Amino acid sequence: MKIALFISGRGSNMDAILASCQAGHIEATPALVVSNKADAKGLLAATAAGIPTAIFDHRDFACREDFDRAILARVQQANIDLIILAGFMRILTPELIKPFQGRMLNIHPSLLPKYPGLNTHQRAIDAKDTIAGATVHFVIEELDAGPAVIQASVDISEQDDAGSLQQKVLEVEHTIYPLAVKWVVEGRVRLQEGKAFLDGEPLPPSGVRIEA
Ligand code: GRF
C-alpha cells in the first residue's frame, strides 16, 4: 500500500508514522509528502528520508476546489492508496475527500466531538475540563466530524497551560496515529456506510478509547 502524508509545519506526527513504516510495524510505502507551505519544517525530514515531496501553495489557486483538484491529480499520479493528514492546515473540499472516502485519516488534538477547529487546548482549559486528548478519525466532508478510530486522553493538571497541555497531547498523538494507520493499512479498520469498524465490529463514537 502506498501512503501520502500531508503537512503544513513541524511534521512530528509524520515522523512518528515514517518511523513505524521504517521499523516494519506499518507495512506501507510512504510515497509522497504534500505541503501547502514551502517552508514547512517537516519537508526536510521527508527529503532526508528520500520521499518525493510536492508543494501546493493555496495562494496560487483561485478557489479551494482548484487547489484540491491539483493535489488529487498528483496523488493519483503517485498511485496513493491512503492519505494521512498530519497537521495539514487547509480545509479540504469534496473534490479530494470523495475519491478518498474511507482512505483518508486525520488527527485532531481534542476528544472529538469536543472542540472541533482551532485552539483546542486553550478551550479545554477555559472550560475547566479535567481531561483532554486526541482523536484519529476518517475524514468526511464536515470538518473534524468523521467517524473516530482511536481516541486517547490525558489528564489536565491545575498547572497546565495551553503549551504544556499541547505537549502532553502531542505525545499520545505519536502513539495513536501510527497505530490507527497500521490498522487501516492491514484492513482491520474500515469505513462502511458512514461508520468505523474494527475487525468487523462497529466502533463506538469515540473509536477505541485509550485512557490516561
Ligand atoms: C497536531 O497537534 C495535530 O493534532 C494537529 O496538528 C498538529 C500537527 O503537529 N492536527 P505536527 O506537525 O504533526 O508536529
Side-chain angles (χ1 to χ4, degrees):
M1 191 183 266
K2 287 187 174 182
I3 60 175
L5 296 121
F6 284 29
I7 61 170
S8 297
R10 176 179 56 191
S12 69
N13 278 289
M14 176 195 76
D15 289 342
I17 291 163
L18 293 182
S20 265
C21 291
Q22 215 155 20
H25 299 316
I26 298 173
E27 287 196 41
T29 306
L32 183 65
V33 170
V34 169
S35 174
N36 64 315
K37 297 230 164 112
D39 61 355
K41 209 176 133 228
L43 286 171
L44 299 174
T47 304
I51 303 164
T53 60
I55 295 158
F56 293 90
D57 188 332
H58 50 278
R59 293 167 302 190
D60 293 341
F61 297 87
C63 60
R64 287 185 192 275
E65 285 76 12
D66 284 357
F67 175 74
D68 284 9
R69 274 190 285 268
I71 295 179
L72 179 65
R74 183 70 181 81
V75 160
Q76 286 174 334
Q77 184 196 29
N79 290 315
I80 298 301
D81 301 296
L82 177 67
I83 293 178
I84 298 162
L85 305 180
F88 189 66
M89 298 303 287
R90 297 301 298 167
I91 293 173
L92 297 171
T93 69
E95 293 292 325
L96 185 55
I97 294 174
K98 276 222 175 98
F100 276 87
Q101 204 164 15
R103 303 191 297 136
M104 192 189 292
L105 292 173
N106 182 43
I107 189 157
H108 183 76
S110 79
L111 298 172
L112 289 171
K114 269 194 159 180
Y115 314 129
L118 299 174
N119 300 321
T120 54
H121 306 301
Q122 191 59 54
R123 286 156 72 196
I125 287 172
D126 291 347
K128 304 210 182 317
D129 290 353
T130 54
I131 57 167
T135 308
V136 179
H137 63 92
F138 282 107
V139 176
I140 60 167
E141 286 165 37
E142 195 185 334
L143 185 69
D144 298 331
V149 177
I150 311 183
Q151 189 163 79
S153 65
V154 302
D155 289 324
I156 305 180
S157 74
E158 281 189 5
Q159 289 76 40
D160 271 324
D161 59 15
S164 64
L165 184 56
Q166 191 240 349
Q167 275 308 317
K168 277 191 201 172
V169 171
L170 197 60
E171 234 169 82
V172 298
E173 291 183 31
H174 296 163
T175 305
I176 64 172
Y177 213 179
L179 184 57
V181 170
K182 177 180 167 68
W183 286 346
V184 172
V185 165
E186 290 173 350
R188 292 184 61 190
V189 164
R190 289 172 197 276
L191 181 71
Q192 266 163 6
E193 286 158 17
K195 276 194 147 203
F197 288 76
L198 171 63
D199 296 334
E201 298 293 326
L203 283 167
S206 64
V208 173
R209 178 76 186 230
I210 299 170
E211 302 296 337

